Amino acid sequence: MDRQERTLDVVKALNSFNNGILASHVLLDKVCDFFDFIKDEELDDSDKRFLLYLSNKAGVPHYYDILDKFNIDYNSSIDDENIGLNTLSSLLYEASLYTDDNSKLHQYQMEILNLFIKGEKNRFFLSASTSFGKTHLVYEVIKKMQYKNIALIFPSIALLTENLAKIKEGRIRFPIDYKIHTLSDIDNDYGETNIFIFTPERFLSFLDKTNLDLTLDFIFVDEVYKIDNGYIIDNEAKENERDVAYRMAIFYGMSRFSNVDLLLAGPYIEIFEPESPNYNPSFDLFLSDFQITKLLRNQYEIVKVSKNEIETTKGQLNIDGIEFDFSGKKTKKAKIQEIVNRLLLRNENVIIYCNTQANAEKVAKEYERVNIEANYFTSFLEHLKNKYDNDWIVIKSLEKGIGVHHGVVPKYIQKEIVSLFNTSQSGINILTSTTTITEGVNTTAKNMIVYKSEKGAGKNGKPLLAFDAKNIAGRAGRFMEHYKGRVISLEKEFMDVITQTGNQIEHKNYQTSDNRKEIDDEMTPSQFLDDRSIQRLEEIRGLQNERGIPDEIISQFKVISKREKIKMYDLINELSKESQKKIRELIAGLNSEPYLILDKSGFQIILNLIKEFTIETKNLYFLIDRKYIDKDGIQSSILTASLLSYLYNGFSGIYDYNYGRLMNNVRERVKEAELKNKEIDINVLTENAVNSAMRLSSTLIFNTFKYQLVKYLGVFNLMYKFRVSQHLKQDFDTITGIDKLLIKLEYNAFSPEARIASDYGVPQKIIDFYDARNNIEGKSILNSFDNYEKSIYDKIKKIIEE
């Protein structure tokens, strides 16, 4: 289709829209398409007037604004003498979308902003495309309403710190000077006005600890689909019962602050009408119960995404004007090579979605590309090479311009890789990733290649749902960077799934259920409680009263059931005097200065208590259950040995252990091959050992220790301190427990500044500096920074120290 035909097509669409025949989201789609075509064309004054008018009729004047990104000779100004009524009306309409001198919304954002009215109860649920700009809208709501105290709840620490940086760096400006908080235990150090930026788990901790006099005026919950376990993309998050934390954050937040305004948001969430087949009313009942209005905007794709599959393609194929040649290319490796090569010739970047961490690494390794000039990120590469094994796939891939991004790549490395990927000059224009890229990570990716239409592999592997597929596809193309994104799937199944009607979102607490867990009983309205749940609630209240455990104690660590906490209380109460003595020795060692000293005997007693819990995560249970006998003849859990290694030697201690164990296996395989006169590539086996050791080590530290173990140790600490305070008749807050170990496991840091730095994602040496900066060791650490660490320190000083 040539320029004349395309122009005629969009004019017809515009006329149909003006006559009330064409829906606004369809016009948006056609206008997006037209701008993507016209962006490279030579434009005269009449063209510019038409495009200005067209973008405003579509409701997104930003389309006109970003034309200069694609055409260096483009001048957006329109001859003043040629401004007619259409152009004038466009300019007036555009002016109505500005909220201040620096911020302009598109029409569909403004429609939602206008729904927020001061003095009224403003509660909304928004489901919209990934390109809609939901977080930007939230900040505009805050500006307009000028709330005093605000909670912003994001699904990950990465998003928490990204938004912290936006505010601290002045990219978001408010008419009110807010004090920003990201740590839940802030000792009531509030300002006159406050913004609390939390994950759901941290918000729950904040509710446990915060001053009862503080009132929140507005709560925003991002990625709210996570209230339904079936909607959670990441299998690991499912294992950690992320849906419970989300439901609790909303329920207890709304219960605590009954007049609070609310915005719940997420992408592509399916909401069925009552007359639809298989309609489940639970989510609608939840919205009605809390007086929340539905705003459904899934159809409004501000960036259009073309979707293509090439599973059976054998010859040449034209996709969006690009000629691909798949002749003789039968394997996924060959097809990826062809696609990416063609895209790189057009200076376009690409994400390759993979179903597992191992596949993300495999694809990065297999893509053939000579090493690129790494001048842009030399200091980062040198830092990695000095700190980690040089055979690690993350390092080897960066050298040829590929970033590897998955959940157990250390956070600061993930963050730097995404930053490099988003910077066109860096040369890092290929990113292999798992579902981590769908968790709100913002990239400039134009293209998404789908390697496999599932999440996970083997027994844990599951096919993608329609919601998953839409979310993955939605990462192709970025508003204000592109008009169109492009998805190319190597499997037909992906295209079949994405066109299906998805599963309806459900709310577990607003339907009768035979398999509801006890932890949900208190959040469930009485009409949905069966006899079993009612009996459990009565039982728990009786057990709690018998032991004299106050509500403010047993209600902490909400993601663990009250019955489990009472069980822990009883187990602690039954400990022998010798066991109690060993725990006191453990606590004394943990609170010694300047280092944590972990007494193995005392810690093992705690692990034995935790083992009595219903531990959902098999890996954690295995690490506690499996024992070894040390050189002193003491029997301890493998977890104890791993934790000791981490506390005293950091990441490298865990890595060295895993690498050594895996290399023993490699040597056994080499011996076996030699005996059978078989050839074996020891270099490949060594590389595999390095990558496996890195994944195992990161998983242990960043998942098992940081999230899973902390949860159970936290319950022990809570009930132990309460039992001691009860026995000694002392105030709970005066009792010393294992708090220091909990902070170390969650943050690998102690001071507030060091913990914020840990959240933000920086090399460990910077975190260590903030923990020691008030003493001689701090100066020594500062002077030992390499060039990369210096650059990161200079970048974050204002964010951390202000």
Side-chain angles (χ1 to χ4, degrees):
M1 190 183 292
D2 62 15
R3 177 168 175 171
Q4 186 175 0
E5 290 175 310
R6 287 177 180 272
T7 305
L8 182 61
D9 185 56
V10 80
V11 168
K12 286 180 180 177
L14 189 57
N15 289 335
S16 294
F17 173 74
N18 288 334
N19 292 326
I21 299 170
L22 196 71
S24 55
H25 71 272
V26 179
L27 176 68
L28 189 64
D29 182 78
K30 289 186 175 293
V31 169
C32 216
D33 232 348
F34 185 72
F35 267 91
D36 190 62
F37 164 76
I38 207 76
K39 67 182 186 295
D40 300 317
E41 298 284 303
E42 189 174 327
L43 303 173
D44 61 22
D45 200 62
S46 62
D47 293 327
K48 287 186 278 189
R49 281 185 280 119
F50 173 65
L51 291 172
L52 178 66
Y53 174 71
L54 188 62
S55 65
N56 278 276
K57 288 300 289 185
V60 190
H62 311 69
Y63 290 159
Y64 182 81
D65 298 340
I66 64 171
L67 277 169
D68 60 353
K69 282 181 177 285
F70 308 99
N71 191 333
I72 58 173
D73 297 323
Y74 173 74
N75 183 344
S76 64
S77 62
I78 296 173
D79 189 341
D80 291 346
E81 295 180 5
N82 290 326
I83 293 181
L85 285 177
N86 279 344
T87 304
L88 182 61
S89 66
S90 296
L91 293 171
L92 289 172
Y93 173 73
E94 182 177 350
S96 72
L97 297 176
Y98 276 91
T99 58
D100 57 40
D101 291 343
N102 302 304
S103 182
K104 178 173 66 179
L105 300 180
H106 57 66
Q107 171 188 322
Y108 312 103
Q109 290 172 321
M110 183 60 80
E111 288 171 356
I112 294 170
L113 180 63
N114 289 337
L115 296 174
F116 282 81
I117 300 170
K118 289 184 179 181
E120 295 190 8
K121 185 175 282 188
N122 302 285
R123 293 182 177 177
F124 302 100
F125 160 77
L126 171 63
S127 179
S129 64
T130 51
S131 58
F132 192 86
K134 295 179 284 294
T135 306
H136 182 67
L137 173 61
V138 169
Y139 287 121
E140 294 302 329
V141 169
I142 294 170
K143 290 180 192 176
K144 174 182 177 178
M145 302 298 287
Q146 297 189 24
Y147 296 114
K148 186 176 178 183
N149 293 307
I150 297 153
L152 306 177
I153 302 175
F154 293 102
S156 65
I157 295 295
L159 276 176
L160 180 158
T161 55
E162 180 181 311
N163 284 274
L164 170 67
K166 281 181 184 177
I167 297 171
K168 291 275 193 174
E169 291 169 0
R171 286 179 280 158
I172 304 291
R173 292 190 175 93
F174 301 107
I176 294 174
D177 185 21
Y178 289 102
K179 188 167 185 178
I180 312 300
H181 309 273
T182 59
L183 303 178
S184 57
D185 51 343
I186 55 177
D187 298 325
N188 298 334
D189 181 24
Y190 308 124
E192 293 264 335
T193 52
N194 303 275
I195 294 179
F196 304 94
I197 311 177
F198 293 141
T199 60
E201 293 84 357
R202 204 168 284 186
F203 179 64
L204 291 171
S205 179
F206 163 77
L207 292 178
D208 289 339
K209 298 169 183 175
T210 192
N211 190 322
L212 292 173
D213 294 334
L214 181 90
T215 299
L216 291 180
D217 308 301
F218 177 62
I219 297 175
F220 166 65
V221 182
D222 194 20
E223 310 288 316
V224 73
Y225 61 83
K226 292 179 186 288
I227 67 165
D228 183 349
N229 193 283
Y231 261 74
I232 295 176
I233 294 176
D234 183 20
N235 285 331
E236 202 167 86
K238 284 186 179 183
E239 289 175 10
N240 293 336
E241 297 190 313
R242 199 75 196 277
D243 60 320
V244 174
Y246 259 83
R247 289 199 303 277
M248 285 184 164
I250 295 169
F251 174 80
Y252 289 108
M254 298 291 287
S255 302
R256 173 86 166 265
F257 309 106
S258 56
N259 294 317
V260 70
D261 280 2
L262 180 75
L263 179 60
L264 309 176
Y268 306 114
I269 302 172
E270 292 283 1
I271 303 292
F272 292 0
E273 294 301 320
E275 60 273 14
S276 302
N278 303 317
Y279 170 69
N280 184 311
S282 59
F283 191 74
D284 280 344
L285 289 168
F286 155 69
L287 296 179
S288 176
D289 198 16
F290 286 104
Q291 299 173 276
I292 302 168
T293 302
K294 285 185 289 190
L295 304 172
L296 305 182
R297 302 293 188 272
N298 289 334
Q299 293 174 305
Y300 292 87
E301 295 279 2
I302 309 302
V303 175
K304 183 175 179 178
V305 178
S306 71
K307 305 175 185 73
N308 317 270
E309 64 88 8
I310 60 164
E311 182 175 8
T312 57
T313 302
K314 295 180 180 178
Q316 292 191 334
L317 180 67
N318 185 297
I319 299 177
D320 298 334
I322 308 173
E323 290 290 340
F324 296 96
D325 186 359
F326 296 109
S327 302
K329 298 177 175 68
K330 296 181 180 179
T331 65
K332 287 185 176 181
K333 174 184 174 182
K335 288 179 178 180
I336 289 172
Q337 189 79 35
E338 167 68 11
I339 297 167
V340 176
N341 285 350
R342 301 281 181 180
L343 295 176
L344 291 184
L345 287 173
R346 296 167 60 92
N347 294 317
E348 294 182 4
N349 57 2
V350 56
I351 296 174
I352 305 172
Y353 164 74
C354 301
N355 59 316
T356 65
Q357 296 164 1
N359 274 339
E361 295 177 359
K362 173 176 174 282
V363 171
K365 179 182 179 180
E366 287 181 345
Y367 180 72
E368 295 174 5
R369 190 184 191 192
V370 295
N371 286 2
I372 63 168
E373 290 291 330
N375 296 335
Y376 192 88
F377 57 99
T378 298
S379 63
F380 177 53
L381 204 50
E382 288 178 351
H383 165 81
L384 294 181
K385 287 183 173 182
N386 288 331
K387 188 170 179 62
Y388 301 100
D389 195 309
N390 285 234
D391 278 332
W392 187 26
I393 188 63
V394 169
I395 294 173
K396 300 186 85 167
S397 297
L398 282 171
E399 290 179 317
K400 56 182 183 177
I402 304 173
V404 176
H405 190 284
H406 57 63
V408 294
V409 173
K411 186 166 58 181
Y412 81 93
I413 300 175
Q414 285 187 43
K415 189 171 186 175
E416 193 65 49
I417 286 172
V418 169
S419 177
L420 290 168
F421 180 76
N422 287 339
T423 307
S424 57
Q425 308 98 303
S426 74
I428 305 298
N429 35 29
I430 306 167
L431 194 65
T432 65
S433 177
T434 59
T435 53
T436 54
I437 210 66
T438 67
E439 294 292 311
V441 176
N442 294 314
T443 75
T444 60
K446 165 86 173 171
N447 300 280
M448 173 70 73
I449 297 174
V450 179
Y451 179 78
K452 199 161 182 62
S453 186
E454 65 180 29
K455 46 193 175 183
K459 292 180 180 178
N460 296 321
K462 294 182 180 178
L464 293 175
L465 303 176
F467 169 77
D468 306 329
K470 288 174 183 176
N471 218 340
I472 290 167
R475 302 297 158 181
R478 176 93 183 269
F479 184 43
M480 299 302 289
E481 295 286 342
H482 312 105
Y483 295 112
K484 286 179 69 175
R486 186 183 299 113
V487 174
I488 303 174
S489 176
L490 302 180
E491 295 189 341
K492 182 177 180 296
E493 186 182 352
F494 182 84
M495 301 306 300
D496 294 338
V497 168
I498 204 169
T499 55
Q500 293 173 359
T501 300
N503 295 335
Q504 180 186 4
I505 190 169
E506 299 180 8
H507 198 298
K508 191 175 288 186
N509 303 121
Y510 285 81
Q511 52 190 319
T512 304
S513 173
D514 293 332
N515 60 0
R516 178 181 293 118
K517 292 186 178 180
E518 192 169 273
I519 200 167
D520 272 300
D521 287 347
E522 288 193 32
M523 298 187 292
T524 301
S526 58
Q527 63 267 37
F528 299 108
L529 290 171
D530 57 16
D531 291 341
R532 184 181 60 121
S533 292
I534 293 169
Q535 182 180 347
R536 287 191 308 210
L537 286 169
E538 291 174 355
E539 268 181 29
I540 293 298
R541 175 56 66 181
L543 293 171
Q544 179 187 344
N545 289 338
E546 284 173 14
R547 289 153 181 78
I549 307 173
D551 285 340
E552 62 267 23
I553 295 295
I554 205 165
S555 294
Q556 294 184 41
F557 286 91
K558 290 180 172 63
V559 294
I560 300 287
S561 74
K562 288 183 177 180
R563 189 183 298 274
E564 296 277 51
K565 291 171 202 161
I566 291 168
K567 185 176 182 180
M568 177 61 78
Y569 174 89
D570 289 344
L571 290 170
I572 292 169
N573 211 23
E574 293 164 4
L575 286 173
S576 67
K577 289 185 178 180
E578 180 63 23
S579 293
Q580 292 178 37
K581 177 174 176 288
K582 288 183 182 297
I583 289 176
R584 287 195 298 271
E585 289 171 353
L586 167 72
I587 291 171
L590 291 174
N591 289 281
S592 60
E593 295 293 344
Y595 304 111
L596 290 172
I597 298 174
L598 187 80
D599 179 83
K600 286 193 290 187
S601 298
F603 187 68
Q604 188 61 48
I605 291 168
I606 296 176
L607 291 184
N608 292 340
L609 300 182
I610 289 173
K611 191 183 166 189
E612 298 299 316
F613 276 37
T614 305
I615 299 176
E616 300 284 345
T617 311
K618 292 179 181 177
N619 185 50
L620 178 60
Y621 183 87
F622 170 82
L623 290 171
I624 294 174
D625 183 57
R626 190 167 180 183
K627 303 290 198 304
Y628 77 103
I629 298 176
D630 67 12
K631 60 184 180 181
D632 299 319
I634 298 174
Q635 188 181 62
S636 301
S637 296
I638 289 177
L639 181 64
T640 305
S642 301
L643 185 57
L644 279 166
S645 183
Y646 174 60
L647 292 177
Y648 301 146
N649 301 301
F651 185 97
S652 62
I654 300 293
Y655 172 77
D656 289 344
Y657 167 76
N658 283 317
Y659 177 70
R661 182 171 56 83
L662 291 168
M663 283 305 295
N664 283 337
N665 294 339
V666 168
R667 284 187 280 272
E668 288 298 321
R669 288 188 63 182
V670 170
K671 285 180 183 177
E672 187 178 326
E674 287 174 348
L675 289 172
K676 295 179 179 179
N677 291 321
K678 287 185 177 180
E679 289 189 9
I680 193 165
D681 192 332
I682 191 168
N683 291 327
V684 170
L685 292 176
T686 302
E687 285 181 16
N688 290 342
V690 168
N691 293 319
S692 295
M694 286 297 295
R695 289 198 301 272
L696 288 168
S697 303
S698 295
T699 299
L700 181 67
I701 294 168
F702 302 127
N703 291 335
T704 305
F705 288 171
K706 187 178 177 73
Y707 292 110
Q708 298 162 8
L709 181 59
V710 160
K711 181 168 63 174
Y712 295 106
L713 288 179
V715 171
F716 164 79
N717 193 49
L718 175 74
M719 302 317 295
Y720 175 80
K721 288 168 67 175
F722 171 69
R723 181 66 192 96
V724 172
S725 71
Q726 195 181 44
H727 178 69
L728 298 178
K729 296 182 172 53
Q730 291 182 5
D731 187 79
F732 175 87
D733 292 330
T734 66
I735 306 301
T736 302
I738 62 169
D739 306 78
K740 201 170 176 182
L741 176 62
L742 295 174
I743 292 171
K744 173 70 175 176
L745 292 176
E746 185 173 355
Y747 297 97
N748 203 19
F750 296 109
S751 71
E753 294 86 0
R755 288 153 67 187
I756 293 170
S758 174
D759 274 350
Y760 190 79
V762 299
Q764 184 60 40
K765 199 179 282 188
I766 296 176
I767 298 170
D768 294 340
F769 161 74
Y770 276 110
D771 261 337
R773 71 173 178 152
N774 295 324
N775 57 43
I776 295 172
E777 186 185 359
K779 189 173 181 180
S780 173
I781 294 172
L782 183 63
N783 291 334
S784 71
F785 284 171
D786 62 30
N787 289 332
Y788 174 69
E789 289 162 340
K790 285 176 186 173
S791 68
I792 296 300
Y793 172 67
D794 290 338
K795 180 181 177 181
I796 68 161
K797 270 195 298 188
K798 183 179 179 182
I799 295 171
I800 305 300
E801 297 175 18
E802 188 176 89

